[in-house]
């Protein structure tokens, strides 16, 4: 017996000039969602390649596939907002063209959305569940404390129409944490919430990923300074200081951003310098408490030694024998 998600869930995929990656995504996704009749919406952000022709070819294979081409390019925030607002199904899930679904868990997703009707359905991405058991959150403060850090990942949230309709998108605009702002600004204004954390690893990234667009030179500026400012700006009337501080700290901890290995790596690529340390100094106590001395040391670590260290370990990892 198959479940019908046609009138329940829309998966929305914004794309721009990534016809090869999009084609690979459609080949992978359509067989996985077809038995559930989930709506699939492709939003073409004014591509100059053959995206329209490629999607037209897949429309014959999947009747619930829709395509919209924009006349002008939108920035990421405006595109995400449009992707949430266009579908009229009770739930909308915005993912990137480089994301790939784990089809074995879709049945669980449809069942939960149908039977429990949560305001938000939060998933693990790229094996970042860390063994946190599934549960329903009825308190936004507890949700921020435990899982706020998860919401920075693209596709981590399936939004209900209720949240989309009342969200203040203009107020929430943020080039890096727009989805996070939408969720927690909106939840702070609700008397009652229902957030389902699945703990299921539903999304991964394609091996064709173009994700060289990430700027490694800004890692501590983005995930340190801007992340700290974003979380601390949440209303104190709705979120406790303890929940905010944990949410700030746990992002770096879960992603090992402040390990010696990662700090050395960031020193090599230029994202950890004395100038960057000075910029981050007032925020390290929030996002990496107790690591002030480590940041100071690696911001001045001689790059000649650092490059040699990385070359030596790369050789040892590839060959299993020491360099000399």
């Amino acid at each position: 017996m198959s479940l019908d998600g046609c009138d329940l869930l829309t998966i929305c995929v914004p794309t721009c000039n990534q016809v090869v990656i999009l084609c690979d995504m459609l080949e992978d996704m359509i067989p996985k969602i077809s038995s559930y009749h989930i709506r699939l919406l492709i939003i073409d952000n004014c591509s100059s390649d053959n995206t329209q022709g490629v999607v037209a070819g897949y429309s014959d294979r999947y009747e619930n596939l829709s395509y919209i081409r924009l006349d002008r390019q939108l920035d990421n925030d405006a595109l995400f907002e449009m992707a949430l607002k266009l579908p009229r199904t009770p739930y909308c899930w915005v993912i990137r063209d480089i994301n790939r679904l784990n089809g074995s868990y879709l049945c669980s997703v449809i069942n939960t959305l149908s039977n429990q009707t949560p305001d938000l359905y939060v998933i693990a991405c790229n094996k970042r569940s860390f063994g946190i058991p599934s549960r329903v959150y009825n308190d936004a403060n507890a949700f921020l404390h435990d899982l706020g850090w998860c919401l920075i990942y693209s596709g981590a949230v399936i939004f209900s129409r209720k949240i989309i309709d009342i969200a203040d998108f203009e107020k929430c605009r943020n080039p890096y944490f727009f989805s996070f702002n939408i969720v927690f600004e909106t939840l702070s204004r609700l008397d009652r919430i229902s957030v389902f954390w699945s703990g299921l690893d539903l999304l991964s990234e394609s091996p064709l990923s173009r994700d060289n667009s990430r700027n490694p030179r800004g890692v501590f500026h983005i995930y340190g300074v801007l992340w700290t400012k974003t979380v601390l700006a949440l209303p104190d009337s709705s979120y406790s200081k303890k929940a905010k501080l944990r949410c700030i700290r746990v992002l770096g901890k879960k992603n090992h951003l402040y390990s010696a290995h990662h700090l050395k790596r960031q020193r090599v690529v230029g994202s950890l310098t004395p100038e960057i340390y000075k910029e981050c100094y007032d925020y390290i106590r929030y996002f990496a408490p107790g690591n002030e001395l480590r940041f100071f040391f690696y911001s001045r670590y001689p790059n000649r030694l650092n490059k040699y260290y990385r070359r030596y370990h790369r050789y040892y990892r590839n060959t299993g024998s020491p360099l000399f």
Side-chain angles (χ1 to χ4, degrees):
M1 178 181 174
S2 64
L3 296 172
D4 191 350
C6 181
D7 296 321
L8 179 69
L9 173 65
T10 299
I11 297 177
C12 193
V13 184
T15 188
C16 182
N17 291 327
Q18 297 297 332
V19 68
V20 174
I21 291 175
L22 181 64
C23 183
D24 182 70
M25 185 213 73
L26 293 172
E27 286 285 344
D28 176 77
M29 183 182 293
I30 288 176
K32 294 175 180 177
I33 68 175
S34 58
S35 60
Y36 304 103
H37 311 292
I38 295 171
R39 295 184 183 276
L40 179 58
L41 173 61
I42 308 297
I43 300 181
D44 182 352
N45 194 17
C46 198
S47 296
S48 58
D49 59 17
N50 191 34
T51 296
Q52 186 169 3
V54 166
V55 176
Y58 283 96
S59 298
D60 296 333
R61 292 172 48 182
Y62 191 55
E63 61 180 6
N64 289 316
L65 173 60
S66 302
Y67 171 83
I68 294 176
R69 187 181 190 279
L70 305 182
D71 294 330
R72 61 183 181 86
Q73 283 196 351
L74 300 179
D75 61 38
N76 288 336
D77 286 1
L79 189 61
F80 186 79
E81 178 181 350
M82 174 177 284
L84 286 177
K85 288 181 173 180
L86 279 176
R88 298 316 303 170
T89 49
Y91 290 94
C92 178
W93 189 8
V94 181
I95 65 175
R96 296 189 294 172
D97 49 19
I98 63 170
N99 288 139
R100 299 296 176 265
L101 292 181
N102 185 338
S104 59
Y105 294 138
L106 282 177
C107 180
S108 175
V109 174
I110 298 298
N111 267 321
T112 301
L113 296 180
S114 299
N115 299 326
Q116 298 195 32
T117 61
D119 297 325
L120 300 166
Y121 185 107
V122 184
I123 68 168
C125 296
N126 297 318
K127 300 180 180 179
R128 289 187 171 98
S129 63
F130 297 98
I132 303 171
S134 299
R135 62 164 290 188
V136 176
Y137 286 87
N138 295 307
D139 174 41
N141 196 61
F143 175 46
L144 174 68
H145 181 278
D146 291 353
L147 291 166
W149 61 276
C150 289
L151 271 64
I152 71 164
Y153 301 112
S154 175
V157 184
I158 300 176
F159 287 84
S160 70
R161 183 57 43 194
K162 170 185 173 181
I163 298 296
I164 297 169
D165 287 344
I166 66 173
D168 187 343
F169 289 96
E170 196 62 39
K171 182 179 180 180
C172 295
R173 294 198 183 281
N174 185 308
Y176 301 104
F177 310 115
F178 190 36
S179 178
F180 175 91
N181 272 358
I182 292 169
V183 169
F184 286 104
E185 193 282 330
T186 305
L187 293 185
S188 70
R189 295 186 279 111
L190 295 177
D191 295 328
R192 181 183 177 281
I193 69 162
S194 173
V195 179
F196 184 84
W197 159 249
S198 69
L200 301 176
D201 194 20
L202 274 163
L203 281 185
S204 59
E205 288 189 359
S206 164
L208 300 175
S209 172
R210 69 182 188 285
D211 221 16
N212 295 322
S213 59
R214 291 177 182 169
N215 180 7
R217 295 179 179 274
V219 64
F220 296 120
H221 174 70
I222 296 169
Y223 298 109
V225 176
L226 297 184
W227 172 240
T228 299
K229 289 180 176 180
T230 297
V231 178
L232 290 179
L234 293 174
D236 294 333
S237 57
S238 301
Y239 301 106
S240 70
K241 184 176 180 180
K242 178 182 177 182
K244 290 183 181 182
L245 292 179
R246 173 174 166 77
C247 180
I248 293 168
R249 289 195 304 266
V250 77
L251 174 63
K253 184 177 179 181
K254 295 292 187 183
N255 291 281
H256 309 290
L257 291 181
Y258 315 121
S259 65
H261 174 76
H262 189 261
L263 291 174
K264 285 182 180 181
R265 181 183 177 188
Q266 297 306 317
R267 177 68 172 139
V268 168
V269 300
S271 68
L272 184 56
T273 63
E275 293 72 26
I276 292 173
Y277 171 80
K278 185 177 180 181
E279 177 195 359
C280 294
Y281 179 77
D282 290 335
Y283 300 93
I284 295 175
R285 62 192 177 97
Y286 293 106
F287 66 81
N291 287 286
E292 292 87 350
L293 188 58
R294 174 180 286 187
F295 263 84
F296 177 82
F297 175 78
Y298 284 112
S299 70
R300 289 159 174 79
Y301 192 83
N303 248 340
R304 183 176 299 178
L305 293 178
N306 204 355
K307 291 177 181 178
Y308 173 78
Y309 171 86
R310 293 191 67 204
R311 190 180 304 120
Y312 175 87
H313 278 272
R314 189 183 303 114
Y315 180 87
Y316 184 82
R317 184 173 61 249
N318 293 337
T319 66
S321 60
L323 189 59
F324 54 84

